Amino acid sequence: MPTLRASKSLLRSVLLVGRPNVGKSALFGSWTGRYADVSNYSGTTLELLAARAQGLELVDAPGLLSLSARSEDEAVTRDAVLEARAEGIIQVGSACDVEGSLTLFFELSRISAPEALVLNLCDEAREKGLAIDAGGLSEALGVPVLLASALTGEGLADVQAILRSRAPGSSVPAPLPPELLRAASRLERELPQRARRWVLLALTSDEGLRKALVRQGLLEEEDLPKIEAARREFVRNPSFLFLSSARERSRELAALHVRRREGALGKGAGFGETLGRWALGPWSGPLAALLAAAGLYLFVGVLGAQVIADFLQDRVFGAWILPPVESVVRHALPWSFMQDLLVGPYGLFTMALTYALALILPVVATFFLAFSLLEDSGYLPRFSVITDRLFRMIGLNGKAVLPMLLGLGCGSMAVVSVRILETRRERLLASLLLALAVPCSAQLGLMLGMAGGSGPAVLWAWLGVMAATLLGVGWAASRLLPGAAASFIMEIPPMRRPLPGNVLRKTGLRLQWYLREIIPLFALATLALFLLDRTGALSRLEHGLRPLLSGLLGLPPESAGAFLTGFLRRDYGAAGLYQLHRQGLLDDRQTAVSLTAITLFLPCAAQWLLMLRERGLRFCLFATGFVLAYSIGAAALVNAAWKALGG
Amino acid sequence: MNDVRTLDTLLPGSPAVVHSVQTPEDADTRSLLALGLSPGAEFVLEQGQPAFVVRTSGGRVAMERRVARCILIYSKP
């Protein structure tokens, strides 16, 4: 269970809460100087992030559409709001959507009124011709309402002043329908004194929120049957009644205090608006998706994996770095054991660092750069809409595009982002597919390089097996897992010009995270291979694996090393196979078989551990067994089919 | 009030008003209400393919046909 406080500090903790994509993380970053991942789509922040600033502990929380949390990241915020009620909550809203921000304000007020409502994106609202009367709103709500822009810095000083001077909330609640008021007062009489404060919230909430109230000790289990009975007396779900009346009040307030200036650019104007509409259209949308995919392939698969990787490997490492390092090591260190450990065939310099920096880094760097651009532009939710039907065939919906695309970058990051999916069924399904059939960018780049260097049959066989796996396993698993597919409902943000600073910062941080993860593991795997080689165990293993590798899969015995390192990192395994391919040790059939096996191979250690944390041991053990058996089975099938077809 | 019908019968480009929302899953209704498709909300249907996309006062919402069928609307008078 995530807790609000990151540390046992004595500082007052203030929780930043708001609807998704209103810029909470950007404001958090500008106040604390700490970078929280910022994108132009919902669900970027997945857990609480705390930092100290101005004598306070500020906590950035995942976006919350409503207190009736649907996904795991929303549930984190819902629980944090309950926990933070006594300390302080600042709501961040959007100046472009005052009505929506006010609805969440009234929802939050049932727990504890936010100390202030900060309407971010005021520069964008002004461009759209919206004039907001913050003073009037402030008076109507009973708490300070401030206009701010994390982008331009406008209004941030006022917000900081509010943060410093603790202003007790005396907010004005939304008027409630009479039947709700009557039911609440009846229920208050039936429940003990301690529970009365929470009657309205319990009556107008979903089951998840009521359970959270019990977990936090605000209600007792024994109160729930009485609350349920009171809820059943309503013709219409009382939570809908509350939300509808809160929305109606928000609409009235927005109509009174938000004016659209005449002659200003309306919503139908602007290049971003046109591009955004185009990317969603029935014909232009799929075309835009194909263009984006082709662009991604050219940037990552060709520029990163071929042009830059070849240059780094042949020139930078092959000609400039490794020869002098090798000569220094051979002269300075008299022991052949140490020499080989550093610059031998399984050496830390010649293998671990070269693979990490010359082969993997260019691919991952180009992928993260392209992905950050897509994230920042607001294109990804549109891609979700276009691919919704495809994802439906495998029991998911368009929302799964975000974790799956992130999985093409790095499986470990993706397995955490599965939290944004709304049902347990979808989260399990997406985690299984990520573990099995979504190769990370490093792996993908290398494999595209291998496939590109072979006959076209290799590429088609490999793509065919991957497509059949995603469709077949997704289809079968979606029928075996209980529950119905979740509905596709998604907020579409406006398209914006990506901010170069944010894109570069985000790419840099992701790369730093990635390299910090892979370099020690690559070194460890290389050391293990080196020791296995030195002790003669590697040749015994190659011999032992011969029936499987040479017999069943028809691969050369040298591929054993690649698969062994693949247990630690799939991308390292792929790098080993890539080298074998470059050395001409794999023919077309063997390339197709090894590509199939390593793509579907076990997820790397980091992804496995995160999967364990997120989805539990039982799922992890099942996924591991299934993935291992499936990858070997599929590769054996490709081998047999290729031979049968006379390849 | 004009005839009440479901959102999926509306022609793209038409402005309309939400009459009520009743999806089989309560969570979907709550999401739609929170996204601004509450009774009385004015919106414009921008497209019906590959998903229904509506523009409300606060922004855009995309949904599949199954959901659009559960939103009762009437044409803007």
Side-chain angles (χ1 to χ4, degrees):
Chain A
M1 181 59 55
T3 57
L4 179 62
R5 279 186 174 277
S7 60
K8 297 273 175 206
S9 85
L10 295 171
L11 299 175
R12 183 166 83 94
S13 161
V14 174
L15 184 70
L16 294 181
V17 185
R19 284 160 59 106
N21 210 32
V22 293
K24 292 175 293 298
S25 300
L27 281 173
F28 174 82
S30 61
W31 287 327
T32 62
R34 187 167 168 187
Y35 183 79
D37 202 349
V38 177
S39 304
N40 186 8
Y41 65 82
S42 315
T44 313
T45 309
L46 297 168
E47 45 204 10
L48 301 176
L49 183 65
R52 291 173 187 190
Q54 297 141 39
L56 291 169
E57 185 166 65
L58 272 182
V59 183
D60 182 25
L64 187 71
L65 188 60
S66 143
L67 277 170
S68 309
R70 294 199 72 171
S71 52
E72 287 180 337
D73 56 324
E74 280 193 307
V76 166
T77 306
R78 176 199 64 202
D79 293 350
V81 168
L82 284 173
E83 210 183 314
R85 67 190 184 281
E87 296 221 45
I89 296 169
I90 299 270
Q91 188 192 340
V92 181
S94 162
C96 299
D97 181 18
V98 171
E99 192 183 312
S101 308
L102 293 177
T103 310
L104 183 62
F105 177 88
F106 290 128
E107 271 214 84
L108 292 169
S109 298
R110 288 177 302 169
I111 296 176
S112 169
E115 285 177 25
L117 170 61
V118 180
L119 293 172
N120 187 30
L121 304 169
C122 70
D123 51 328
E124 201 172 303
R126 208 174 297 128
E127 270 175 36
K128 287 183 174 171
L130 299 173
I132 298 165
D133 168 20
L137 276 175
S138 208
E139 218 164 280
L141 296 179
V143 301
V145 175
L146 304 149
L147 297 177
S149 164
L151 184 66
T152 62
E154 185 183 338
L156 294 187
D158 298 340
V159 182
Q160 281 166 353
I162 291 283
L163 281 174
R164 278 193 296 269
S165 67
R166 186 174 191 181
S170 55
S171 72
V172 182
L176 294 171
E179 65 260 50
L180 211 50
L181 288 171
R182 279 197 298 274
S185 78
R186 258 201 319 273
L187 190 56
E188 269 179 22
R189 288 195 292 274
E190 286 175 34
L191 290 176
Q193 181 72 34
R194 56 166 173 76
R196 285 182 191 162
R197 160 79 180 81
W198 306 106
V199 160
L200 179 68
L201 179 62
L203 200 60
T204 57
S205 61
D206 68 319
E207 199 188 347
L209 181 49
R210 289 198 292 280
K211 282 187 177 163
L213 283 167
V214 172
R215 274 201 307 276
Q216 300 261 345
L218 303 173
L219 287 180
E220 301 282 335
E221 280 283 351
E222 64 197 45
D223 304 331
L224 295 182
K226 284 182 185 142
I227 295 166
E228 277 305 320
R231 283 173 57 83
R232 276 197 298 272
E233 283 176 23
F234 284 87
V235 179
R236 198 160 170 245
N237 190 323
S239 62
F240 301 170
L241 276 176
F242 174 81
L243 268 175
S244 300
S245 62
R247 191 82 203 188
E248 203 177 314
R249 177 66 181 145
S250 308
R251 200 177 299 140
E252 285 167 11
L253 286 176
L256 272 175
H257 300 290
V258 183
R259 289 265 173 278
R260 183 181 292 280
R261 276 198 297 271
E262 279 190 31
L265 285 174
K267 276 194 168 178
F271 180 66
E273 174 72 22
T274 312
L275 195 65
R277 294 280 307 265
W278 187 74
L280 267 177
W283 297 107
S284 52
L287 185 67
L290 282 177
L291 283 175
L296 197 65
Y297 167 73
L298 287 175
F299 193 61
V300 182
V302 178
L303 181 70
Q306 292 173 36
V307 179
I308 304 179
D310 282 353
F311 175 74
L312 285 176
Q313 208 183 3
D314 298 338
R315 286 258 152 194
V316 178
F317 273 78
W320 302 339
I321 297 180
L322 288 179
V325 168
E326 222 173 318
S327 103
V328 168
V329 168
R330 300 249 179 241
H331 281 97
L333 295 172
W335 313 282
S336 74
F337 180 87
M338 288 302 287
Q339 289 176 356
D340 287 350
L341 176 64
L342 294 175
V343 294
Y346 300 109
L348 291 174
F349 275 105
T350 34
M351 191 173 180
L353 272 185
T354 310
Y355 279 16
L357 300 179
L359 275 179
I360 308 246
L361 180 67
V363 183
V364 180
T366 43
F367 180 86
F368 282 150
L369 185 60
F371 191 73
S372 303
L373 276 170
L374 287 176
E375 272 184 324
D376 236 35
S377 67
Y379 176 67
L380 290 181
R382 289 167 171 82
F383 194 58
S384 290
V385 171
I386 300 300
T387 50
D388 178 51
R389 283 188 190 168
L390 269 180
F391 275 92
R392 231 157 251 296
M393 290 159 76
I394 54 173
L396 295 167
N397 69 33
K399 283 190 180 171
V401 133
L402 300 173
M404 291 295 171
L405 265 183
L406 200 53
L408 287 177
C410 172
S412 315
M413 287 180 187
V415 85
V416 181
S417 75
V418 162
R419 284 183 195 177
I420 65 164
L421 301 181
E422 285 157 6
T423 61
R424 185 170 169 271
R425 174 182 187 273
E426 287 178 297
R427 292 191 285 267
L428 290 178
L429 196 53
S431 301
L432 179 68
L433 292 176
L434 278 171
L436 177 69
V438 180
C440 68
S441 59
Q443 213 187 337
L444 195 64
L446 294 167
M447 292 186 304
L448 282 173
M450 279 169 78
S454 313
V458 172
L459 182 66
W460 289 115
W462 175 53
L463 290 178
V465 172
M466 289 309 113
T469 299
L470 274 173
L471 286 174
V473 174
W475 183 84
S478 68
R479 265 140 197 85
L480 289 173
L481 283 167
S487 309
F488 180 67
I489 303 170
M490 192 176 222
E491 193 169 21
I492 309 291
M495 282 201 74
R496 300 183 181 123
R497 197 177 45 238
L499 300 169
N502 189 39
V503 167
L504 290 177
R505 197 167 181 193
K506 185 163 24 184
T507 308
L509 280 175
R510 280 182 172 157
L511 273 181
Q512 211 179 336
W513 182 87
Y514 193 82
L515 287 177
R516 210 179 292 150
E517 184 180 304
I518 65 164
I519 290 182
L521 275 173
F522 276 25
L524 191 70
T526 310
L527 192 66
L529 266 189
F530 172 76
L531 292 175
L532 284 173
D533 183 47
R534 274 279 158 153
T535 54
L538 187 61
S539 55
R540 283 199 296 278
L541 263 173
E542 282 174 359
H543 185 75
L545 286 172
R546 188 161 290 172
L548 175 70
L549 282 177
S550 305
L552 189 64
L553 304 182
L555 294 174
E558 293 88 342
S559 59
F563 285 104
L564 286 174
T565 53
F567 273 102
L568 264 182
R569 299 261 335 171
R570 273 197 294 202
D571 45 0
Y572 203 27
L577 291 173
Y578 179 81
Q579 292 295 37
L580 289 180
H581 183 257
R582 265 171 75 110
Q583 290 158 9
L585 292 172
L586 300 175
D587 61 25
D588 276 3
R589 175 182 54 77
Q590 290 169 325
T591 306
V593 172
S594 56
L595 280 177
T596 305
I598 202 74
T599 313
L600 301 172
F601 209 57
L602 290 174
C604 67
Q607 185 179 345
W608 200 91
L609 286 173
L610 286 170
M611 199 162 77
L612 180 70
R613 187 187 84 181
E614 299 284 316
R615 303 287 144 234
L617 182 66
R618 255 180 56 189
F619 174 79
C620 262
L621 290 177
F622 165 77
T624 308
F626 176 74
V627 167
L628 196 59
Y630 189 94
S631 63
I632 295 172
L637 205 66
V638 171
N639 183 39
W642 201 288
K643 280 182 174 164
L645 293 169
Chain B
M1 191 184 295
N2 296 323
D3 287 343
V4 173
R5 53 208 174 102
T6 55
L7 193 150
D8 62 309
T9 61
L10 204 59
L11 284 175
S14 321
V17 183
V18 177
H19 175 271
S20 56
V21 178
Q22 193 68 65
T23 57
E25 288 287 325
D26 285 354
D28 289 340
T29 301
R30 273 190 287 264
S31 293
L32 291 167
L33 292 176
L35 284 166
L37 288 162
S38 61
E42 293 181 11
F43 68 92
V44 177
L45 176 70
E46 289 192 333
Q47 62 182 67
Q49 288 287 344
F52 285 81
V53 177
V54 299
R55 197 177 75 215
T56 65
S57 60
R60 280 194 176 81
V61 183
M63 70 193 83
E64 59 177 302
R65 181 178 290 274
R66 194 164 52 130
V67 176
R69 277 199 197 116
C70 302
I71 302 176
L72 291 175
I73 53 111
Y74 54 91
S75 299
K76 201 174 161 185

